Amino acid sequence: MDNKHTITIAKGDGIGPEIMESTLEILKASGAPLKYEEIEIGEKVYLSGEKTGIKKEDWETIRRNKAFLKAPITTPQGGGYKSINVAIRTSFGLFANIRPCKTFKPFIKANCGDMDMVIVRENEEDLYTGIEHQQTNEVVQTLKIISKPGTKKIVRYAFEYARAYNRKKVTCMTKDNIMKQTDGLFHKIFDDISKDYPEIETEHRIIDIGSAVVATNPERLDVVVTLNLYGDIISDIMAQVAGSVGLSGSSNIGHNRAMFEAIHGSAPDIAGQDIANPCGLLHGAILMLDYLGLSPYAKMIEAAALKTLEEGIHTGDLYQEGVTKRKVGTKEFTKEVIARLGQEPTKIKVRERNVKPIEISISDTRDNVKTLEGTDCFLDWDEDDRNPDILAAKLIEASKDSILNLKVITNRGVKVYPDGMPETFRTDHWRCRFVPAEGTKVTNKDIIDLLSKISDSNLDIIKTENLYNFNGERAYSLTQGE
Ligand code: NAD
């Protein structure tokens, strides 16, 4: 009987093909029982006219196999097609991005003490939903979406991970002093779930000082759980501080399937030169072998790679005068790792592996009593010197027969009416908050009626955001002085 695991592979763009070739050679030499189904994704596929960057039949291949080993792909900046990495992670529900990172001093120069940390990054939500709009001549916006089930899943996963890997502390990083609703929800769920893990130390850090700790004292951190964007940024800082962005791999975990990759990108600046460090993707492959229950092979490959590094055989990104014995290219590094399969490093310790698969379940969240309290009506308005008092007068006149009354106007979140300050800079994008007299109930129909009156007075409504109260608690941000 054939006991081989079939995995999907994609060679990607830039240095992708070189580091994938290296990783596959090492996997094959290790004897790991794997079979490969290759798909093509990335730049070439986009350019051939396939808008998603993956052909229809290749989505099926990814679906069919439990594991996907993917080399980096080029995503254009500022315009062009959407990130295919994000599309794969979200379409297949790969909600947890796990990025372990360790220092290997003195063999690899690191700008910190002895670090051994893991970033557990939320992978499906936050600003990566990519929902963006230009709304006025001057203003564009992006939607930051944080859900309760999404947050519960990632926070629960972080604690289960800490328990499974015998880690002592979980640190949550958010910016909830500013984003009280979105980041505030993440922090609150972290506090709630932490109560189920009394043996694990917990802490919360604001992301700005948290990033500074990653950059200067990462040895103080153990497991870090954070939102999508912050996790993306601090893991590159972490990897670079540990020695090179070329060393770390990551897993993207979903229910019964996962994708493995390097944390770095396609490095087009060094593509095709045989100088890329294959260790990031190789680390991804090691995480994949553990995930597939093939830990003896994972351990063997990790040991061989660490022994190679320990003996001073380094790619250019790791070069260090006095420590590097031989600077090698991608192909030669690969040969050296293969030659050491079955050997152990002398100084660096290879991780013991006795970890069971992590399973999580989350509770239902549909227990809310939701009450409508008013609406924020956003306008594109560029008249009368952008004088907010004039805009307020027009809105008060337009809404005189509505049960909703103008309460406040803000511009880029700053209150400009009533009692605005003349110094405040004003764009053409206005948020106008309408609420009823105290004790009066509001319905959606009241809001639609208000909007129709505002529209009849020739004001340009670009969107509305309704104001809700959930379970007796205000569920929207206040403006200054409200
Ligand atoms: P990058 O990570 O590709 O490169 C940053 C720097 O690190 C470059 O100087 C590069 O030469 C170096 N570097 C990266 N990997 C290396 C390795 N293995 N060995 C030696 N040096 C290495 O980041 P970037 O330049 O910002 O992005 C390039 C492209 O990759 C962009 O299109 C970006 O969208 C994409 N990207 C893809 C992924 C992914 O597929 N998961 C992740 C990040 C970025």
Side-chain angles (χ1 to χ4, degrees):
M1 202 177 86
D2 184 3
N3 284 329
K4 288 188 172 172
H5 297 257
T6 304
I7 65 159
T8 308
I9 56 166
K11 291 184 177 161
D13 301 314
I15 58 170
E18 298 163 66
I19 58 174
M20 180 60 89
E21 196 179 316
S22 159
T23 301
L24 292 180
E25 272 181 39
I26 296 170
L27 281 171
K28 283 172 191 161
S30 77
L34 297 173
K35 285 199 294 192
Y36 307 92
E37 281 195 83
E38 184 176 345
I39 61 169
E40 201 177 343
I41 59 176
E43 220 169 15
K44 256 198 246 149
V45 184
Y46 290 114
L47 297 178
S48 74
E50 183 56 68
K51 290 276 180 296
T52 61
I54 304 190
K55 293 192 210 111
K56 252 205 190 91
E57 59 270 29
D58 289 340
W59 283 101
E60 269 315 307
T61 311
I62 302 174
R63 178 173 289 118
R64 192 164 52 240
N65 299 321
K66 192 174 153 92
F68 178 20
L69 183 63
K70 185 190 74 63
I73 325 176
T74 299
T75 310
Q77 286 155 22
Y81 46 80
K82 273 178 103 93
S83 163
I84 196 163
N85 295 311
V86 175
I88 297 170
R89 290 172 192 154
T90 51
S91 304
F92 286 110
L94 308 179
F95 65 94
N97 187 201
I98 314 300
R99 299 180 160 197
C101 188
K102 248 181 116 155
T103 44
F104 301 110
K105 289 194 296 184
F107 311 104
I108 307 290
K109 187 169 174 241
N111 302 313
C112 60
D114 289 328
M115 168 219 298
D116 180 4
M117 63 180 280
V118 183
I119 292 176
V120 177
R121 164 191 171 199
E122 197 288 311
N123 220 13
E124 297 176 288
E125 307 189 340
D126 192 8
L127 291 158
Y128 285 62
T129 51
I131 306 173
E132 298 193 297
H133 301 96
Q134 175 162 4
Q135 299 193 318
T136 66
N137 196 28
E138 292 182 350
V139 175
V140 287
Q141 70 156 32
T142 185
L143 266 188
K144 170 162 174 155
I145 292 183
I146 304 294
S147 77
K148 278 189 197 171
T151 307
K152 284 183 180 178
K153 274 193 292 187
I154 196 67
V155 172
R156 178 73 62 193
Y157 192 92
F159 278 101
E160 286 297 323
Y161 183 97
R163 202 172 249 178
Y165 286 83
N166 201 19
R167 292 201 170 244
K168 307 289 177 240
K169 184 166 85 171
V170 181
T171 303
C172 174
M173 294 193 193
T174 73
K175 186 81 181 165
D176 66 340
N177 53 335
I178 301 297
M179 284 161 277
K180 295 173 200 279
Q181 291 291 321
T182 47
D183 287 33
L185 175 69
F186 199 94
H187 187 174
K188 183 179 176 310
I189 288 176
F190 175 78
D191 286 347
D192 289 348
I193 290 182
S194 68
K195 294 185 187 117
D196 296 340
Y197 302 86
E199 78 281 15
I200 296 172
E201 189 191 333
T202 59
E203 66 176 356
H204 174 267
R205 287 177 190 267
I206 300 288
I207 186 66
D208 24 6
I209 191 64
S211 310
V213 173
V214 175
T216 53
N217 300 102
E219 63 281 1
R220 290 190 198 154
L221 299 164
D222 192 348
V223 175
V224 174
V225 63
T226 189
L227 291 84
N228 204 339
L229 177 64
Y230 310 143
D232 199 4
I233 296 170
I234 62 171
S235 41
D236 272 22
I237 300 175
M238 168 184 76
Q240 201 68 352
V241 167
S244 167
V245 78
L247 278 176
S248 291
S250 87
S251 33
N252 298 269
I253 306 281
H255 299 291
N256 290 321
R257 88 179 61 249
M259 176 172 79
F260 301 86
E261 54 187 338
I263 74 159
H264 59 75
S266 57
D269 53 334
I270 58 165
Q273 298 172 34
D274 189 36
I275 56 172
N277 185 349
C279 285
L281 188 63
L282 187 63
H283 186 200
I286 291 168
L287 296 170
M288 177 188 76
L289 290 170
D290 279 326
Y291 176 80
L292 292 172
L294 300 171
S295 287
Y297 298 96
K299 200 172 168 191
M300 186 201 316
I301 294 174
E302 190 171 300
L306 290 176
K307 187 160 175 61
T308 311
L309 295 176
E310 194 182 78
E311 290 183 9
I313 299 168
H314 296 162
T315 43
D317 55 311
L318 300 178
Y319 180 81
Q320 204 192 147
E321 189 82 47
V323 175
T324 301
K325 302 267 169 18
R326 197 142 56 85
K327 185 170 148 190
V328 293
T330 316
K331 289 198 170 98
E332 207 177 335
F333 184 83
T334 310
K335 280 199 193 108
E336 296 294 344
V337 174
I338 291 173
R340 286 167 181 76
L341 284 169
Q343 299 178 30
E344 294 278 330
T346 2
K347 301 263 169 42
I348 304 174
K349 204 169 166 321
V350 182
R351 191 167 55 77
E352 284 309 319
R353 292 163 156 88
N354 50 3
V355 176
K356 291 197 196 95
I358 299 171
E359 297 292 342
I360 57 154
S361 63
I362 56 163
S363 58
D364 196 356
T365 52
R366 281 168 232 162
D367 55 355
N368 286 304
V369 182
K370 174 175 163 186
T371 321
L372 183 59
E373 294 196 334
T375 194
D376 278 346
C377 175
F378 289 76
L379 301 179
D380 177 351
W381 188 67
D382 193 11
E383 290 163 26
D384 301 310
D385 260 352
R386 300 184 179 177
N387 180 335
D389 293 333
I390 295 179
L391 177 59
K394 286 177 192 270
L395 287 167
I396 290 167
E397 174 60 23
S399 61
K400 64 178 189 292
D401 297 327
S402 164
I403 67 154
L404 289 146
N405 309 313
L406 179 67
K407 187 176 186 197
V408 63
I409 302 178
T410 67
N411 195 297
R412 297 191 305 170
V414 184
K415 186 176 73 166
V416 291
Y417 171 89
D419 309 323
M421 302 209 329
E423 294 85 356
T424 305
F425 181 78
R426 297 184 294 273
T427 67
D428 52 4
H429 187 268
W430 308 80
R431 176 178 62 163
C432 312
R433 177 160 290 179
F434 285 86
V435 293
E438 217 176 318
T440 311
K441 244 183 119 217
V442 196
T443 64
N444 269 322
K445 227 165 165 277
D446 296 324
I447 291 176
I448 291 164
D449 174 58
L450 169 75
L451 298 181
S452 132
K453 289 180 161 66
I454 294 175
S455 169
D456 286 347
S457 55
N458 288 326
L459 288 166
D460 182 9
I461 302 168
I462 48 180
K463 70 162 188 168
T464 55
E465 297 283 356
N466 288 348
L467 309 177
Y468 294 108
N469 178 310
F470 281 87
N471 302 328
E473 273 189 45
R474 173 180 49 80
Y476 49 90
S477 52
L478 291 181
T479 59
Q480 280 160 297
E482 242 189 303

